[in-house]
Amino acid sequence: MIPQTLDKITTVQEQRFLLPGHYTWEEFEKIEALTADAPGLRITYLDGCVEFMTLGEQHEAIKSVIAIFLALYFFEKGINFFPVGSATRRAKEKGASFEPDESYYIEEKKENPDLAIEINITSGSIDKLEKYKRFKITEVWFWENNQLSIYHLTNDNYEQITQSQLLPELDIDLLARCVLMPLILEARTEFIKGIRQ
């Protein structure tokens, strides 16, 4: 018998699904254990709600390119940073468990990262900012509709701002424009030129 191969390679698109019902922390941990070996599946828990998300190629590409440009920026500007990617933030007493797409400690390590980035190709159903607020993450950036929205934690609430307070010299429009460029080497050249001006 000759093995069959697919003529076309397919990629999974990002999808979100809110599990019906309300779950205790212990029930969430059981669900998490049952799905632990599922590749490309992310689970978020907030106050009894459980959301599943598959990670599509577009999601992962944007996440990776943003991380590349932020690293270039940190190196170029001589800013000490500790990238911790999608390290899970979880605490039963906070009623939350989630993984940002990218996260960073800036200058030094603290209890939680200073900056978290989330890529939203499809809209989610769990409160986007509440989970971050419980871990007092100073700034959260959301990539949605091909642009970055920035939220800064002030007096225990997030307010949307147009310029990062953590990285005040970073041109956010330049970053977004370069992320969308089709050729990464050209985008890198434009980004470095822009941050050196």
Side-chain angles (χ1 to χ4, degrees):
M1 178 177 221
I2 298 172
Q4 298 278 327
T5 59
L6 293 174
D7 291 335
K8 182 180 174 189
I9 296 173
T10 58
T11 59
V12 175
Q13 297 299 311
E14 177 182 299
Q15 296 178 357
R16 292 176 186 260
F17 173 74
L18 188 62
L19 201 59
H22 189 83
Y23 300 88
T24 66
W25 183 263
E26 291 73 21
E27 289 170 326
F28 162 67
E29 287 182 323
K30 288 177 185 172
I31 293 167
E32 202 175 34
L34 287 171
T35 59
D37 294 331
L41 181 67
R42 185 170 288 169
I43 304 173
T44 298
Y45 178 87
L46 183 65
D47 296 335
C49 294
V50 177
E51 183 180 66
F52 293 101
M53 183 178 109
T54 59
L55 303 177
E57 190 173 277
Q58 181 184 10
H59 176 281
E60 293 298 280
I62 291 169
K63 172 189 90 112
S64 297
V65 172
I66 289 173
I68 289 167
F69 289 139
L70 274 181
L72 283 171
Y73 182 80
F74 289 134
F75 288 132
E76 189 70 23
K77 296 295 182 179
I79 298 170
N80 201 27
F81 71 106
F82 303 89
V84 288
S86 59
T88 303
R89 302 286 145 201
R90 66 183 289 138
K92 180 179 179 179
E93 66 278 5
K94 297 179 191 295
S97 176
F98 66 96
E99 298 169 11
D101 289 306
E102 292 292 338
S103 53
Y104 301 86
Y105 295 97
I106 298 174
E107 297 297 351
E108 61 186 11
K109 286 195 174 184
K110 306 162 188 82
E111 185 178 352
N112 288 297
D114 299 291
L115 171 63
I117 300 171
E118 191 168 305
I119 311 303
N120 292 323
I121 305 299
T122 58
S123 60
S125 46
I126 287 184
D127 186 325
K128 296 187 300 187
L129 287 166
E130 182 61 32
K131 58 191 179 187
Y132 291 102
K133 184 164 69 171
R134 294 188 187 178
F135 290 84
K136 299 188 182 317
I137 294 175
T138 305
E139 224 165 79
V140 183
W141 298 1
F142 291 102
W143 177 271
E144 297 173 302
N145 302 317
N146 292 334
Q147 60 186 9
L148 280 166
S149 300
I150 301 171
Y151 295 86
H152 190 85
L153 189 62
T154 308
N155 300 323
D156 290 328
N157 280 307
Y158 284 102
E159 70 176 70
Q160 188 169 3
I161 57 177
T162 56
Q163 183 59 50
S164 170
Q165 290 184 23
L166 289 173
L167 305 172
E169 294 179 17
L170 176 61
D171 182 338
I172 297 298
D173 292 333
L174 171 69
L175 175 60
R177 190 170 64 249
C178 291
V179 167
L180 292 170
M181 290 178 68
L183 300 175
I184 195 160
L185 288 178
E186 287 180 12
R188 175 192 171 277
T189 301
E190 180 158 335
F191 185 71
I192 290 177
K193 183 175 129 189
I195 63 177
R196 285 179 178 170
Q197 289 180 346

